[in-house]
Amino acid sequence: MKITLTAMILVTIIMTIFSITILISKKTTMSREKNSPFECGFSNMSSARKPFSSHFFMIGILFLIFDIEISIILPLTNTSMTNMTEWLISSMMTMMILIAGLVNEWKTGMLEWTK
């Protein structure tokens, strides 16, 4: 009974504070300037919903993929592997995967800037 009474009092206090904050907030009707994205105080020159080239998006994705691949390759050069053949096999496998991916992207035409 005591827990139920305490829970009801807490819910009442929370709802009261919530109602007071809604009543005293200075929310006014939104103007065109307040609804526009922030552009250093200047009015919008054009629509923010311009279409962009999907080819540019794919070039960006390729850049991220190669960037991650470089982060995989770099630790191979500074490794503490004692067995030289193990290091050689792992680095060659990584390079072959990278070269196969590059050849595939080249064959599908993903690396061409103009279409």
Side-chain angles (χ1 to χ4, degrees):
M1 184 71 179
K2 200 172 195 181
I3 295 175
T4 307
L5 182 63
T6 306
M8 289 180 65
I9 290 172
L10 285 176
V11 168
T12 306
I13 291 171
I14 291 170
M15 292 304 289
T16 304
I17 292 173
F18 182 70
S19 300
I20 290 171
T21 56
I22 288 175
L23 290 174
I24 64 173
S25 67
K26 292 184 176 182
K27 190 166 189 156
T28 60
T29 57
M30 292 292 184
S31 66
R32 180 175 179 260
E33 290 298 320
K34 285 186 179 180
N35 286 335
S36 66
F38 178 70
E39 289 190 19
C40 300
F42 297 108
S43 61
N44 294 337
M45 296 300 220
S46 61
S47 174
R49 297 287 183 181
K50 287 183 183 176
F52 66 96
S53 173
S54 61
H55 188 68
F56 177 75
F57 177 74
M58 292 306 291
I59 294 294
I61 295 294
L62 289 176
F63 171 76
L64 288 175
I65 290 171
F66 282 115
D67 193 35
I68 291 171
E69 290 169 348
I70 291 297
S71 69
I72 292 171
I73 291 174
L74 283 178
L76 290 177
T77 61
N78 191 16
T79 184
S80 61
M81 288 184 190
T82 56
N83 191 356
M84 188 63 167
T85 57
E86 182 182 332
W87 177 83
L88 188 61
I89 290 172
S90 64
S91 61
M92 288 306 241
M93 289 294 290
T94 305
M95 291 302 291
M96 294 307 284
I97 291 171
L98 293 178
I99 291 171
L102 181 63
V103 168
N104 183 27
E105 291 162 357
W106 192 1
K107 295 278 188 194
T108 57
M110 292 299 297
L111 300 177
E112 295 176 14
W113 281 98
T114 57
K115 280 190 175 186

